[in-house]
Amino acid sequence: MTTSKRLWTPDRAPYVASWSSELPVLESSLTLRPDGGGIAWADGTERDTDPFGGCWARLEGTQGEGEPLLDHMNPHRQRDCFLNWWCQVCATACSTTDQGRLFLRILDDPDPEGALVTQPPVCLPCAYQAVRRCPHLRGRAVAVRSRQPRLCRAKGFAYVPNGDGGLWSAMRVDVPLDDKKRLPWVLLSQYVVELRDCTVVVLDQELERHGATA
């Protein structure tokens, strides 16, 4: 997978968005790990795994080429935003204050406390622009800060050995990150984060209070 900021800017699409030029790598490139305890890419690198021991889906292509697919997130970029607490739009540090990290929700979502989210956090300037420019968020956005957002689960496709040294794709699953038995057999595509110790905030007030420092 190639990730380049040269052809990409936040004005064109959020950092996490997939692009039409980025296509999934076929599962035929997957194999059993040398220890037989899970799946791996045959030509795998450190970029293909995460701190929890999961194997991540790949896309081939270049970020910023073609058309942005705003309803789809690039697996590696979504992962990197959560592991580093980057803004999902501009890939800089997300807004963080004594009330926690900043997330955008929509009005008809359930109570944010304990909510499970796949959309990474945001910085204040990008949040302000997103609620005005994004049709999905315009007039429906709620800003939430979480003091203790917790990486807890991941989504992907589970695989099982077929007995001939190959693999069968079983089903789409949602697996806890501490499930050391199941996680190594899942080709991961998204992290899931639980929002804890939440406070609903007003973006205009946040900008006035914290500005670009948060």
Side-chain angles (χ1 to χ4, degrees):
M1 183 193 73
T2 301
T3 298
S4 170
K5 293 186 182 181
R6 181 172 54 85
L7 297 175
W8 162 84
T9 67
D11 290 336
R12 296 185 68 193
Y15 174 73
V16 294
S18 287
W19 290 74
S20 58
S21 65
E22 297 181 306
L23 302 175
V25 175
L26 296 179
E27 63 182 32
S28 58
S29 298
L30 285 173
T31 186
L32 286 170
R33 289 187 344 198
D35 63 5
I39 60 173
W41 292 104
D43 59 347
T45 68
E46 291 183 0
R47 181 78 176 143
D48 294 308
T49 59
D50 69 7
F52 303 96
C55 178
W56 278 75
R58 288 176 169 182
L59 297 182
E60 291 182 324
T62 301
Q63 180 187 16
E65 289 188 348
E67 297 297 324
L69 307 178
L70 300 180
D71 292 336
H72 296 81
M73 289 186 286
N74 177 287
H76 284 218
R77 295 197 288 273
Q78 191 257 16
R79 178 192 70 183
D80 291 347
C81 282
F82 273 130
L83 288 179
N84 297 289
W85 298 114
W86 288 343
C87 170
Q88 64 166 292
V89 179
C90 68
T92 63
C94 72
S95 173
T96 305
T97 69
D98 58 355
Q99 289 183 309
R101 294 187 167 96
L102 182 65
F103 293 82
L104 291 179
R105 307 277 287 154
I106 56 176
L107 286 171
D108 52 357
D109 279 340
D111 186 329
E113 189 63 42
L116 300 177
V117 302
T118 57
Q119 289 287 341
V122 287
C123 70
L124 268 174
C126 286
Y128 188 80
Q129 291 299 320
V131 299
R132 285 155 178 78
R133 294 171 54 188
C134 175
H136 180 67
L137 295 173
R138 192 181 302 128
R140 304 175 63 207
V142 176
V144 175
R145 289 196 180 275
S146 171
R147 285 193 181 92
Q148 300 182 62
R150 183 175 72 93
L151 277 169
C152 60
R153 308 182 72 86
K155 296 183 178 184
F157 275 96
Y159 286 78
V160 295
N162 65 11
D164 297 321
L167 297 163
W168 291 108
S169 175
M171 65 185 72
R172 186 179 292 275
V173 297
D174 181 332
V175 60
L177 291 173
D178 60 2
D179 189 336
K180 301 304 182 184
K181 183 176 180 180
R182 295 173 59 205
L183 188 69
W185 293 98
V186 180
L187 186 64
L188 305 178
S189 59
Q190 287 187 350
Y191 274 140
V192 180
V193 165
E194 179 186 15
L195 301 185
R196 301 190 298 182
D197 198 358
C198 295
T199 303
V200 175
V201 297
V202 178
L203 279 180
D204 287 339
Q205 295 176 0
E206 292 291 289
L207 280 165
E208 183 177 345
R209 185 178 302 121
H210 303 292
T213 64

